[in-house]
């Protein structure tokens, strides 16, 4: 496995890769969710490139940029064990050179849900992902369903800007009790960790109601809200039943709708989602 930092090193190492190149962008502090994307890329591609970059532009001033967990030696060992060919660790100066002023802004798709709660977040995500795509020039890029709006935003950007690559979405990896794996789970204390599977239970309750014939969007949102309110350590930020591409809230639920939510445990904000099928 080769590890590079500068753009020149990345370009030289990329040029030496043969066949279909798969790319997994990450912010590091890796877990089995990231590695599942690497494994998917290994199955589908001749070479796998991973980037690790904690992107300052997608954190608001009040968010956890400086506290975001980091462990590069451990990450590199995990990527080596997973059979990755090339790891890129760009510095902030590579991604945001002095005088930087070129941003990618998607219009309506970034307004609701995560975008509504985290203004500017997807501007940072879209810009950094576009820059990573330009530099790595992959044939396929891998993203987790865990971040459903991110997937919708990146897919829209790839269409709008004609990036010559395919987006592949990997399923959300979970702990045995249903909690979606996330680098932020590390912030939870013992009681919060015990409470956190309520996100998945709320999604499952809404899924079960849908399977039993419920098609009213408000009824499903309210069911998720009430399920979470039963957990005293949880504080709901939003619950949503939305169209999977436009992310607009649905009055009447159709197949493929996206159920998603954001919930605080203390200062830690967790998100999760499922697609209704
Ligand atoms: P991050 O390092 O949080 O930016 O995540 C990097 C990639 O891993 C993103 O495409 C995430 O959606 C994906 N990811 C994060 N958590 C999970 C998970 N539990 N299951 C599957 N993919 C995940």
């Amino acid at each position: 496995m080769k590890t590079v930092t500068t753009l020149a090193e990345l370009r030289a190492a990329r040029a030496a890769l043969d066949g279909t190149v798969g790319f997994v962008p990450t912010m590091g502090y890796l877990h089995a969710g990231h590695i599942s994307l690497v494994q998917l890329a290994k199955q589908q591609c001749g070479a796998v490139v991973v980037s690790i970059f904690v992107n300052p532009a997608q954190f608001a001033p009040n968010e956890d940029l400086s506290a975001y967990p980091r462990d590069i030696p451990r990450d590199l060992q995990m990527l080596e064990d997973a059979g990755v060919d090339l790891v890129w660790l760009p510095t902030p100066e590579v991604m945001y050179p002095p005088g930087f002023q070129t941003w990618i802004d998607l219009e309506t798709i970034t307004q609701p849900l995560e975008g509504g709660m985290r203004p500017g977040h997807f501007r940072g995500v879209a810009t950094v992902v576009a820059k990573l795509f330009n530099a790595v020039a992959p044939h396929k890029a891998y993203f987790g369903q865990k971040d459903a709006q991110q997937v919708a935003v990146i897919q829209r950007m790839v269409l709008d800007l004609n990036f010559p690559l395919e987006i592949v979405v990997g399923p959300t990896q979970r702990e045995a009790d249903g909690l979606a794996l996330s680098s932020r789970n590390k912030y939870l204390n013992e009681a919060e960790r015990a409470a956190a599977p309520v996100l998945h239970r709320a999604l499952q309750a809404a899924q079960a109601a849908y399977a039993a014939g419920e098609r009213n969007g408000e009824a499903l949102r309210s069911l998720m809200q009430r399920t979470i309110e039963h957990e005293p350590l949880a504080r709901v930020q939003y619950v949503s039943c939305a169209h999977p591409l436009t992310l607009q809230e649905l009055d009447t639920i159709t197949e493929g709708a996206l159920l998603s939510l954001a919930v605080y445990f203390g200062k830690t904000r967790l998100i999760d989602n499922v697609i209704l099928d």
Side-chain angles (χ1 to χ4, degrees), residues 100-167:
F100 186 88
Q101 53 179 304
T102 308
W103 295 96
I104 296 188
D105 255 316
L106 289 89
E107 294 177 353
T108 54
I109 199 173
T110 57
Q111 299 306 314
L113 306 178
E114 289 301 287
M117 299 301 153
R118 306 181 66 188
H121 172 68
F122 286 115
R123 181 188 204 231
V125 170
T127 302
V128 86
V129 170
K131 293 193 54 137
L132 293 168
F133 284 174
N134 280 337
V136 175
H139 298 93
K140 296 174 186 255
Y142 294 80
F143 290 85
Q145 177 59 34
K146 160 84 178 6
D147 297 287
Q149 188 172 14
Q150 174 167 277
V151 167
V153 166
I154 300 299
Q155 279 171 332
R156 185 71 253 166
M157 179 184 79
V158 164
L159 285 172
D160 290 352
L161 297 184
N162 305 118
F163 277 102
L165 55 85
E166 181 192 340
I167 300 297

Side-chain angles (χ1 to χ4, degrees), residues 2-35:
K2 196 170 171 57
T3 303
V4 296
T5 301
T6 68
L7 206 44
E9 288 171 330
L10 183 268
R11 287 186 176 137
R14 165 66 183 89
L17 296 176
D18 285 330
T20 310
V21 172
F23 175 45
V24 184
T26 81
M27 298 206 300
Y29 209 72
L30 302 179
H31 52 63
H34 300 105
I35 299 302

Side-chain angles (χ1 to χ4, degrees), residues 10-269:
L10 183 268
R11 287 186 176 137
R14 165 66 183 89
L17 296 176
D18 285 330
T20 310
V21 172
F23 175 45
V24 184
T26 81
M27 298 206 300
Y29 209 72
L30 302 179
H31 52 63
H34 300 105
I35 299 302
S36 72
L37 297 178
V38 169
Q39 284 162 347
L40 201 54
K42 291 237 4 138
Q43 284 163 20
Q44 299 181 352
C45 303
V48 178
V49 181
V50 173
S51 63
I52 301 176
F53 180 62
V54 183
N55 175 29
Q58 69 190 67
F59 289 79
N62 62 331
E63 291 183 344
D64 56 349
L65 172 63
S66 62
Y68 197 82
R70 292 164 168 87
D71 190 344
I72 296 291
R74 178 172 156 276
D75 289 348
L76 293 178
Q77 189 60 55
M78 287 172 76
L79 295 175
E80 173 126 49
D81 293 346
V84 167
D85 299 275
L86 175 59
V87 182
W88 185 26
L89 303 161
T91 58
E93 292 71 30
V94 171
M95 300 316 279
Y96 300 104
F100 186 88
Q101 53 179 304
T102 308
W103 295 96
I104 296 188
D105 255 316
L106 289 89
E107 294 177 353
T108 54
I109 199 173
T110 57
Q111 299 306 314
L113 306 178
E114 289 301 287
M117 299 301 153
R118 306 181 66 188
H121 172 68
F122 286 115
R123 181 188 204 231
V125 170
T127 302
V128 86
V129 170
K131 293 193 54 137
L132 293 168
F133 284 174
N134 280 337
V136 175
H139 298 93
K140 296 174 186 255
Y142 294 80
F143 290 85
Q145 177 59 34
K146 160 84 178 6
D147 297 287
Q149 188 172 14
Q150 174 167 277
V151 167
V153 166
I154 300 299
Q155 279 171 332
R156 185 71 253 166
M157 179 184 79
V158 164
L159 285 172
D160 290 352
L161 297 184
N162 305 118
F163 277 102
L165 55 85
E166 181 192 340
I167 300 297
V168 182
V169 183
T172 302
Q173 305 296 309
R174 299 177 181 282
E175 302 281 7
D177 60 9
L179 177 63
L181 299 182
S182 164
S183 307
R184 292 188 167 93
N185 293 350
K186 164 189 159 68
Y187 300 142
L188 301 170
N189 67 28
E190 208 177 316
E192 291 165 348
R193 171 63 190 83
V198 73
L199 271 82
H200 189 230
R201 284 205 307 280
L203 293 167
Q204 283 181 313
Q207 246 175 338
Y210 175 78
E214 181 61 77
R215 293 292 180 272
N216 183 291
E218 195 45 44
L220 294 188
R221 285 186 284 270
S222 152
L223 177 56
M224 290 194 285
Q225 176 94 26
R226 279 182 282 120
T227 307
I228 292 169
E229 282 170 0
H230 273 120
E231 174 46 66
L233 293 179
R235 189 160 50 82
V236 178
Q237 190 181 43
Y238 68 75
V239 294
S240 162
C241 303
H243 186 280
L245 297 179
T246 65
L247 306 179
Q248 295 303 307
E249 290 301 318
L250 295 171
D251 294 330
T252 304
I253 305 297
T254 49
E255 193 178 314
L258 174 69
L259 300 180
S260 65
L261 35 74
V263 178
Y264 275 99
F265 295 86
K267 288 196 175 113
T268 306
R269 183 176 179 278

